[in-house]
Amino acid sequence: SGADVLYTCTFGANAHKLAGTGVSPAQVIKAAVAAAQKAAEGFPSPKPLIALDIGPIGELLEPAGTLSFGEAYSLFREMAVAGEEAGADLAVFETIADLGEMRAAVLAAKENTSLPILATMTFEADGRTFTGCTAEAAARTLDGLGVDALGLNCSLGPGEILPIARRMAKCTAKPLAVKPNAGLPDPQDNCYHLSPADFAAQMREFAPLGIRLAGGCCGTTPEFIRELKKALEPLPCPSEREILPAAVCSPLKTVELNGVHIIGERINPTGKKRFQQALLEQDLDYILAQGVAQADAGAEILDVNVGHPGVDEPALMEKVVRELQGVLELPLQIDSSDPAAIEAGLRAFHGVAIVNSVNGEEENLWKILPLVKKYGAFVVGLTLDSQGIPQTAEERLAIARKILESALSYGIPKEKVLMDCLALTVSAQQSQAAETLKAVRMVREELGLKTVLGVSNISFGLPNRELLNHSFLTAAMENGLNLPILNPNIPSMTAAVAAYNVLHGFDKDSAAYIERFSASEPEKQAPAALSGHTLAEAVKKGLKEEARLKTEELLREKEPFDIIDGVLIPALDEVGAGFEKGKLFLPQLINAATASQEAFEVIRRKLAAEGAGTVNKGSIILATVKGDIHDIGKNIVKVLLQNYGYRVIDLGRDVPPETVVETAVRENIRLVGLSALMTTTLKSMAETIRLLRESGHPCKIMVGGAVLTESYAMEMGADYYAKDAKRSADIAKEVFGEGEN
């Protein structure tokens, strides 16, 4: 049919999914590569390339799930190594929705094989994956990791994917790959709605984006490939495309480095005894609360420094970064002088981070810059060297130029090099404030680099520090400062940045300024420590330890079920509403549920001690239907329902209809939830519903899954269609009645 690349039949050939089959990933992959090679025999040169096809593992990564990054890495490494040994020409990671999982896959292949890598993620119609990752974050992160081509596949047809592909194309110069479905599926007949000719016609619209790889995913056939080849081969493909400004990002938030953006400085032990104590005690909730407070106050990037005598800095950095991105959507700046700690932070962060920092010393440059390049990060250069901090702006500029040239030699693009011209306290070196401002302007004008400054340093040892800091910040921004590192909990500092961005045209239509200052109540300083949050706030922000402590406090004043019905459930409802409106995303939904679980556990222990039984608003069966082994969606629903106070009987995946019926009757279940991801298993779902009805058991049935629609759910005989986890909780409340035990 004209294909240039053949994918092996190894999408699910990881050890997790093959458990219990009696065969190993290496055995499956060796056989599958051989089959693909045989299929390619006899074709004229060049023969089709054989791509080792690798899909998602089937479990959510921490902190949203239970699978660690290291475990995911090991599973992908096993597959990639086996594929290279079997003779695959390249590795393809596809249909992955979690950017952290994709990073584990890419790093496993890059660090253990020489295979070229194609990485394609799967998106919803809004341009985010089901875990909330944006198209922009995916493109920038994968580009930075050094994949050979990237793009998107599955879930949607060409028409729905086109606007998402346009967004990705603006964030990377890498070859773009697009592999849509044959339109959207009809669950009633398992057919997709596009013909081969229609599919090919829609795919022609991608050519101006500069795509280099095009194919078909679910619902496509050899005829689709034939038509696609005829449609695309004659079309010109632009070699260059317009790329948006450089940006740092987390999976959920991208910060383009135009204008001025605040880096929050509070996750740092310098001069903070309480923070030092938190590091020694590994009190992560205190550290997370510092991050939450800064995000609430207006920080757009968080500096993370956990270096302190007596702690294992690399291990703690990895842990803090992992937990921070579980409760916050902000990009991070990894701040350390220890290369091991820097790499631990970069490896744990699922986005494009900043490394703070390198300096002009040769040894420092060759230790740090390769890590920056490997993980696709930005880097801050400090304008000092073995001789210390120069006294003049010209000398600092010379060091900045050296750092830039060294970064370029390692393949780090210029736009990812940031320069810190070093703010020194005026109480000791008063003349240096003017030199710093001069150096900032020279770096901007002569080197074309963006700049960073630790603004608060300027006022050490002097009274009314806020006044000095504010005045210096204003002057520094006028001289070209882009990224001030400061305490965002001081309103005058964040307000100065907001005003600057309006006056210089970076805040379009003053939208951010209006949103920030048009509230009816005066702006409040965000809390800086644990004591500032209520139980509801701790749950909504995903602060597990604080949720536990606040529950213990409330139990001294309130009855257990008053806390459940008056605090916990409303907090979860608010998070769910944010999820439905697209303001919050799956990781935040799960973390709120996990924090509430800590609260529920305290209440359960209290009730047990008083002999009052346990919290149980009702029992619910969940099952992925016969023939379907995809259970991520079911597992998410399980976590949420448990944390609304329901007892969940999880029957697992690939569950026979008879097992569902027998359990429902035996346990006298009032609500059964069935999940399916593949159109081919909808018949099993319909059969399960039929047997439940024939049994005469008076339960309600809710169904969910990516291939379902509400109309088809009703046609199968279900009572409810749960389009997402939040809807399943609403259904449970309707079935059992609000507050019923």
Side-chain angles (χ1 to χ4, degrees):
S1 62
D4 303 295
V5 181
L6 302 181
Y7 282 26
T8 57
C9 188
T10 53
F11 181 84
N14 63 66
H16 175 73
K17 288 186 175 178
L18 289 175
T21 64
V23 292
S24 68
Q27 290 173 299
V28 172
I29 288 168
K30 181 178 180 181
V33 171
Q37 290 170 332
K38 185 175 181 181
E41 290 177 0
F43 286 91
S45 182
K47 287 185 177 181
L49 296 173
I50 307 303
L52 174 69
D53 185 27
I54 301 177
I57 292 165
E59 294 285 342
L60 284 173
L61 265 65
E62 295 173 335
T66 58
L67 187 69
S68 73
F69 183 86
E71 289 168 332
Y73 176 92
S74 296
L75 291 167
F76 286 123
R77 176 181 59 196
E78 183 179 20
M79 297 179 73
V81 169
E84 184 173 48
E85 291 177 350
D89 298 305
L90 68 150
V92 173
F93 300 106
E94 65 166 346
T95 327
I96 293 176
D98 182 345
L99 189 56
E101 184 174 13
M102 180 63 89
R103 289 184 72 255
V106 170
L107 287 169
K110 287 185 71 68
E111 293 177 350
N112 297 281
T113 77
S114 59
L115 294 173
I117 297 170
L118 165 60
T120 59
M121 298 189 70
T122 185
F123 293 88
E124 308 293 328
D126 64 357
R128 290 182 181 266
T129 70
F130 88 89
T131 62
C133 177
T134 67
E136 292 81 1
R140 292 186 185 278
T141 302
L142 294 173
D143 183 312
L145 285 177
V147 301
D148 297 279
L150 60 92
L152 58 174
N153 77 288
C154 203
S155 293
L156 304 166
E160 296 79 23
I161 276 182
L162 180 59
I164 306 171
R166 287 187 177 128
R167 289 167 56 182
M168 295 188 82
K170 291 180 180 179
C171 298
T172 176
K174 293 279 177 134
L176 200 64
V178 178
K179 195 162 79 89
N181 291 345
L184 301 175
D186 182 345
Q188 298 187 46
D189 58 14
N190 294 343
C191 294
Y192 289 77
H193 75 274
L194 288 182
S195 69
D198 291 337
F199 179 83
Q202 291 189 17
M203 289 294 288
R204 290 173 63 91
E205 299 298 316
F206 289 85
L209 301 184
I211 64 168
R212 288 288 184 270
L213 295 153
C217 206
C218 301
T220 60
T221 66
E223 183 61 28
F224 280 75
I225 303 302
R226 276 190 286 270
E227 291 294 325
L228 184 61
K229 195 173 184 72
K230 286 193 296 183
L232 289 182
E233 277 200 331
L235 297 180
C237 188
S239 57
E240 295 184 1
R241 50 184 180 260
E242 184 179 350
I243 307 298
L244 291 172
V248 294
C249 66
S250 70
L252 302 179
K253 185 178 179 66
T254 296
V255 178
E256 291 184 7
L257 300 188
N258 51 5
V260 177
H261 302 276
I262 295 170
I263 300 177
E265 69 180 7
R266 300 295 296 169
I267 303 179
N268 189 313
T270 304
K272 305 182 187 78
K273 291 185 178 180
R274 177 64 185 90
F275 196 95
Q276 294 167 7
Q277 179 186 353
L279 292 179
L280 292 170
E281 297 173 354
Q282 300 216 5
D283 182 355
L284 291 183
D285 252 50
Y286 179 84
I287 298 170
L288 297 184
Q290 297 295 322
V292 168
Q294 292 181 94
D296 289 346
E300 295 179 81
I301 302 164
L302 292 184
D303 185 83
V304 182
N305 185 322
V306 297
H308 187 66
V311 304
D312 182 341
E313 188 180 354
L316 189 55
M317 177 69 82
E318 186 275 331
K319 188 179 295 186
V320 168
V321 168
R322 186 184 71 230
E323 293 295 327
L324 276 171
Q325 62 189 334
V327 299
L328 294 170
E329 61 179 30
L330 300 185
L332 300 182
Q333 176 170 276
I334 310 302
D335 185 354
S336 177
S337 59
D338 180 356
I342 289 173
E343 178 156 30
L346 290 173
R347 200 169 185 85
F349 182 63
H350 304 321
V352 178
I354 302 173
V355 170
N356 187 13
S357 56
V358 296
N359 59 51
E361 296 184 44
E362 289 294 338
E363 182 179 2
N364 181 266
L365 291 167
W366 64 254
K367 283 183 177 180
I368 305 299
L369 291 180
L371 296 176
V372 174
K373 171 62 177 174
K374 175 181 178 179
Y375 292 98
F378 285 64
V379 64
V380 175
L382 303 182
T383 54
L384 60 83
D385 56 19
S386 58
Q387 303 302 311
I389 301 174
Q391 295 297 299
T392 69
E394 289 77 10
E395 290 173 304
R396 294 184 202 182
L397 177 67
I399 295 175
R401 183 175 281 109
K402 175 185 177 181
I403 293 171
L404 173 60
E405 291 172 353
S406 185
L408 293 173
S409 74
Y410 280 97
I412 299 167
K414 179 178 178 179
E415 61 268 20
K416 288 190 171 182
V417 180
L418 312 170
M419 209 57 63
D420 186 338
C421 295
L422 300 169
L424 305 178
T425 176
V426 292
S427 63
Q429 296 173 285
Q430 192 168 7
S431 64
Q432 286 303 302
E435 289 299 318
T436 296
L437 295 175
K438 182 180 177 182
V440 168
R441 180 174 289 276
M442 293 176 73
V443 165
R444 184 189 70 178
E445 293 178 349
E446 297 189 30
L447 300 183
L449 299 180
K450 297 190 182 299
T451 55
V452 179
L453 271 181
V455 173
S456 304
N457 295 342
I458 204 74
S459 62
F460 280 136
L462 292 171
N464 198 355
R465 293 187 61 191
E466 183 178 338
L467 175 61
L468 280 172
N469 291 343
H470 181 274
S471 300
F472 181 71
L473 171 63
T474 303
M477 290 190 292
E478 290 297 339
N479 280 277
L481 174 62
N482 306 101
L483 294 163
I485 304 175
L486 53 82
N487 181 358
N489 295 323
I490 300 175
S492 66
M493 300 294 282
T494 53
V497 172
Y500 177 90
N501 284 328
V502 169
L503 296 173
H504 289 264
F506 296 112
D507 182 2
K508 188 175 181 181
D509 299 324
S510 306
Y513 185 90
I514 292 169
E515 181 181 1
R516 183 176 185 86
F517 294 110
S518 63
S520 56
E521 294 184 13
E523 185 179 358
K524 296 179 180 179
Q525 182 169 322
L530 286 173
S531 59
H533 293 124
T534 64
L535 173 57
E537 289 169 340
V539 168
K540 287 183 285 188
K541 295 178 183 298
L543 299 172
K544 298 184 285 292
E545 178 65 14
E546 188 171 355
R548 180 183 67 78
L549 294 172
K550 292 298 182 183
T551 304
E552 291 173 349
E553 289 179 15
L554 278 181
L555 281 172
R556 301 186 192 116
E557 310 168 6
K558 295 178 176 286
E559 292 299 316
F561 285 100
D562 290 339
I563 297 173
I564 293 171
D565 296 328
V567 181
L568 294 176
I569 298 302
L572 288 171
D573 284 344
E574 188 174 336
V575 173
F579 176 75
E580 287 181 334
K581 293 174 182 176
K583 295 181 178 179
L584 299 175
F585 304 98
L586 185 64
Q588 292 150 314
L589 183 71
I590 292 177
N591 278 300
T594 305
S596 72
Q597 191 172 28
E598 292 289 327
F600 272 110
E601 185 57 35
V602 173
I603 292 171
R604 288 188 185 101
R605 290 199 299 268
K606 170 80 169 177
L607 291 172
E610 295 175 350
T614 60
V615 181
N616 180 12
K617 289 180 169 286
S619 297
I620 302 171
I621 282 176
L622 294 182
T624 301
V625 299
K626 180 66 177 176
D628 203 321
I629 61 170
H630 300 86
D631 59 358
I632 288 181
K634 172 185 66 64
N635 293 340
I636 293 167
V637 170
K638 175 183 176 181
V639 170
L640 195 62
L641 289 175
Q642 285 177 329
N643 292 289
Y644 266 92
Y646 298 102
R647 169 181 172 246
V648 176
I649 301 174
D650 183 0
L651 298 180
R653 56 190 182 184
D654 193 19
V655 181
E658 296 79 9
T659 302
V660 176
V661 176
E662 290 168 5
T663 308
V665 173
R666 183 179 68 250
E667 299 286 337
N668 193 27
I669 297 298
R670 290 172 56 185
L671 179 60
V672 173
L674 303 175
S675 172
L677 184 67
M678 302 185 295
T679 56
T680 53
T681 59
L682 291 179
K683 292 180 180 178
S684 295
M685 180 176 281
E687 175 68 6
T688 304
I689 295 172
R690 185 184 67 81
L691 290 181
L692 278 167
R693 299 305 188 207
E694 289 182 355
S695 73
H697 183 63
C699 64
K700 298 292 185 181
I701 302 169
M702 64 177 176
V703 297
V707 295
L708 277 170
T709 62
E710 185 163 13
S711 60
Y712 191 57
M714 299 302 103
E715 187 175 315
M716 285 193 295
D719 297 290
Y720 301 97
Y721 166 61
K723 64 182 178 68
D724 53 41
K726 172 58 171 60
R727 176 59 184 147
S728 71
D730 294 338
I731 291 167
K733 288 162 67 176
E734 182 177 330
V735 171
F736 292 98
E738 186 70 35
E740 182 177 336
N741 296 322

